[in-house]
């Protein structure tokens, strides 16, 4: 959703302000693992807890009789995830299918935070008198590259775990040194490099894809909010800013619903594909 902004705020400063995380300290280098984006951690953990509550509530309230709308929705979602996991992962899915379901709901909830008006968090923080303590706050964890790459690293760990579990440590190491060019000792180094690049590419692309789409959506909401800041009720052309603000905001919010669900679905499907590949040999 969008919200209008005060006219005296410089547009570039407004966008910069909303794209800064509430971090443990100021970042001075491109990579600094000592910095924690507190807002990203807070909202990702919060949405994870909400996901657990939703699934637990669905499990405890399931009835064999006429199901409620909520139960029908969860059952349809579970069936969809189970069918996808069955088609992709050829092996034991007792952990993988629930993982995919949890990932889909979790990412969907994190993405959905983008529908909250962009100025609302700052207004609430100012209202409770914490503006000096929390000068910046970003709601959407998936619009923070640290958040999406963190989830992608978790998927990487699972990929390595299932490779070792299914093939054994020796089998996995043998595959690393022999695929894709063959088991000739002279080809071991190229094989190892190719496999390392493959694992890194999967992890980075998984995190970057989700981040890029959600960051673009967040930025567009900010631009629409700025569009609303130029309008007035005077008999001049600035009233077009109000019209554009309402129309563009409404259309983009509706379209963004598809993006939120689609990106969560793609993240879940890629996770299933990567874990399914771990069950197969080259």
């Amino acid at each position: 959703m969008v919200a209008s902004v005060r006219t005296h705020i410089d547009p570039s400063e407004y966008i910069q302000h909303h794209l800064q995380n509430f971090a443990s300290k100021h970042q001075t280098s491109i990579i600094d693992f000592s910095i924690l984006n507190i807002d990203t951690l807070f909202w990702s953990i919060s949405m994870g807890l909400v996901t657990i509550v939703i699934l637990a509530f669905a499990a405890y309230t399931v009835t064999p009789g006429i199901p409620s709308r909520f139960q029908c929705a969860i059952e349809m979602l579970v069936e969809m995830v189970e069918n996808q996991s069955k088609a992709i992962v050829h092996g034991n899915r007792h952990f993988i299918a629930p993982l995919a379901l949890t990932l889909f709901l979790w990412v969907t909830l994190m993405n959905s935070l983008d529908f909250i008006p962009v100025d609302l968090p700052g207004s609430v923080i100012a209202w409770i008198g914490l503006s000096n303590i929390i000068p910046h706050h970003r709601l959407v964890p998936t619009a923070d590259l640290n958040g999406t790459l963190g989830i992608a690293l978790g998927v990487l760990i699972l990929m390595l775990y299932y490779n070792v579990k299914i093939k054994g440590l020796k089998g996995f190491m043998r595959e690393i040194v022999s695929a894709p060019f063959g088991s000739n000792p002279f080809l071991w180094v190229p094989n190892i490099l190719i496999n390392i690049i493959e694992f890194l590419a999967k992890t980075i692309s998984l995190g970057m894809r989700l981040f890029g789409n959600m960051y673009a959506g967040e930025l567009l909401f900010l631009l629409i909010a700025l569009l609303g800041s130029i309008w007035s009720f005077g008999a001049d052309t600035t009233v077009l800013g109000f019209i554009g603000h309402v129309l563009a905001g409404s259309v983009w919010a509706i379209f963004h619903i598809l993006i939120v669900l689609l990106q969560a679905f793609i993240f879940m499907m890629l996770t299933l594909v990567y874990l399914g590949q771990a069950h197969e040999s080259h």
Side-chain angles (χ1 to χ4, degrees):
M1 302 292 287
V2 295
S4 60
V5 297
R6 297 188 303 273
T7 56
H8 66 270
I9 295 180
D10 181 76
S12 61
E13 292 178 355
Y14 175 78
I15 293 177
Q16 269 189 340
H17 174 78
H18 281 79
L19 293 181
Q20 291 188 46
N21 288 93
F22 175 45
S24 57
K25 66 178 182 178
H26 181 67
Q27 185 170 343
T28 56
S29 59
I30 297 178
I31 299 177
D32 190 344
F33 293 107
S34 66
I35 297 176
L36 298 177
N37 288 345
I38 300 172
D39 44 11
T40 296
L41 289 172
F42 175 81
W43 287 108
S44 59
I45 293 173
S46 297
M47 293 302 100
L49 293 175
V50 172
T51 301
I52 293 173
V53 169
I54 291 174
L55 294 177
F57 180 77
Y60 283 114
T61 59
V62 62
T63 58
I66 299 177
S68 63
R69 293 180 180 178
F70 173 74
Q71 182 176 331
C72 285
I74 295 297
E75 287 178 353
M76 291 173 61
L77 184 58
V78 169
E79 184 178 1
M80 181 270 292
V81 173
E82 175 62 23
N83 290 336
Q84 296 297 334
S85 64
K86 187 185 299 184
I88 296 173
V89 181
H90 305 295
N92 192 320
R93 301 184 308 277
H94 290 314
F95 174 78
I96 295 177
L99 169 70
L101 175 63
T102 304
L103 266 180
F104 178 77
L105 283 177
W106 186 31
V107 175
T108 298
L109 288 174
M110 288 191 290
N111 291 350
S112 298
L113 292 172
D114 212 9
F115 294 115
I116 297 176
V118 294
D119 293 310
L120 182 60
S123 300
V124 172
I125 291 171
W127 181 71
I128 60 180
L130 295 178
S131 298
N132 293 331
I133 301 175
I134 308 176
H136 307 286
H137 189 87
R138 292 181 70 183
L139 273 175
V140 189
T142 47
D144 180 6
L145 184 58
N146 298 281
T148 57
L149 284 181
I151 306 173
L153 284 173
V155 176
L156 172 63
I157 293 173
L158 287 173
M159 282 192 287
L160 297 174
Y161 168 77
Y162 275 103
N163 269 291
V164 174
K165 179 182 179 181
I166 301 300
K167 304 164 187 174
L169 182 59
K170 289 185 179 179
F172 178 50
M173 296 306 297
R174 188 182 303 113
E175 185 176 274
I176 290 293
V177 300
S178 62
F181 299 126
S183 57
N184 190 308
F186 291 103
L187 298 175
W188 283 2
V189 172
N191 286 333
I192 292 173
L193 291 176
I194 288 293
N195 280 286
I196 290 175
I197 292 173
E198 180 183 355
F199 279 112
L200 290 177
K202 287 178 179 178
T203 304
I204 295 173
S205 64
L206 185 63
M208 289 290 291
R209 181 181 289 104
L210 178 59
F211 160 74
N213 283 276
M214 297 312 301
Y215 182 85
E218 183 183 39
L219 186 59
L220 192 52
F221 274 131
L222 292 173
L223 293 175
I224 294 173
L226 283 171
L227 181 64
S229 70
I230 68 172
W231 74 276
S232 70
F233 284 116
D236 52 39
T237 56
T238 57
V239 72
L240 297 177
F242 171 73
I243 298 174
H245 175 75
V246 174
L247 291 180
S250 300
V251 171
W252 179 244
I254 294 171
F255 180 70
H256 202 58
I257 296 174
L258 300 177
I259 296 177
V260 162
L261 295 173
L262 180 62
Q263 290 307 313
F265 180 76
I266 291 174
F267 196 94
M268 179 199 73
M269 289 297 294
L270 287 175
T271 300
L272 286 174
V273 169
Y274 294 159
L275 296 184
Q277 290 175 347
H279 286 70
E280 301 171 357
S281 299
H282 287 284

